[in-house]
Each structure stands twice: as C-alpha cells, then as structure tokens.
Amino acid sequence: MSDLPKCPQCGSEYTYEDRDMFVCPECGHEWTANAPAQEAEEERVIRDANGNLLADGDSVTVIKDLKVKGSSLVVKVGTKVRNIRLVDGDHDIDCKIDGIGAMKLKSEFVKKS
C-alpha cells in the first residue's frame, strides 16, 4: 500500500500526488503536505490590553471611554462587560452592555476582570 495520507475531507484511501499537492479523486479535495500543521497554527489567540488570554464567557472591564458610532452614547471607563463572545475580525469581542445593547469591542480597549 502507498504511504500517501488519506483525504482529510472524505477519508478516501485513493489519494495521489500532483507536484506539491495531494488530490482526492473521489471528492476533488486538494491539500498540501503541511496543511494539518498550518491549521493548528491558525488558532486564534485574543489577548486583552494587559496581555491576558481571553476566552468565550469571560468578564472584562473597559479601560478607555469609547464613543458609540452613530449615537451620542459613550461607554465609560470601568464599565464591566460579562459573558463576552470572541469573533474573527477587526472588532474581536461581541457583547451586550447594560443600557446600550449589543456591541462589538476591540480587545485592546478591555482588561480581563
């Protein structure tokens, strides 16, 4: 039997090598030899202003007055935000703030509490 890896998408044994890519003839999936290593490195790591690792469900405190775009409201320094959710993008925290509602925050303006 060949020493080629099984298809990570469908599990087929009938993969073949095409230059520096592996190809599955059953589902058409193509991947590189170091694709699993790249996927492991792409884990998102989101840290607060002090460098502490943030996770879903954490509570954070705002460290700077933040103007709410399109409104005259301001999120004041020291506002506690509970049960955050981490997302991909420029604003990497989804949350609900009492009195304001659903918001997106940047992790650089919060600290873990």
Side-chain angles (χ1 to χ4, degrees):
M1 197 87 195
S2 70
D3 58 347
L4 296 175
K6 292 183 178 183
C7 175
Q9 197 162 28
C10 70
S12 173
E13 298 177 348
Y14 302 110
T15 58
Y16 63 91
E17 206 169 359
D18 185 21
R19 293 187 193 145
D20 60 343
M21 302 283 287
F22 293 112
V23 180
C24 175
E26 292 183 7
C27 69
H29 181 65
E30 297 179 357
W31 71 99
T32 59
N34 58 359
Q38 287 177 347
E39 289 174 9
E41 292 174 12
E42 292 179 9
E43 273 188 48
R44 63 178 178 188
V45 176
I46 298 176
R47 299 186 180 273
D48 68 357
N50 296 333
N52 297 320
L53 191 62
L54 294 174
D56 287 341
D58 282 347
S59 293
V60 294
T61 305
V62 177
I63 62 168
K64 178 183 176 182
D65 281 347
L66 302 173
K67 295 180 182 175
V68 179
K69 199 173 202 176
S71 173
S72 62
L73 297 173
V74 175
V75 179
K76 297 285 188 180
V77 172
T79 302
K80 271 203 148 185
V81 181
R82 290 184 212 99
N83 199 18
I84 65 170
R85 192 176 82 220
L86 303 177
V87 294
D88 291 330
D90 186 32
H91 293 72
D92 42 18
I93 297 174
D94 263 350
C95 62
K96 286 186 181 177
I97 298 177
D98 294 336
I100 296 176
M103 285 196 63
K104 291 186 178 240
L105 299 172
K106 290 187 177 184
S107 58
E108 62 195 60
F109 298 123
V110 299
K111 68 178 181 177
K112 193 171 182 175
S113 54

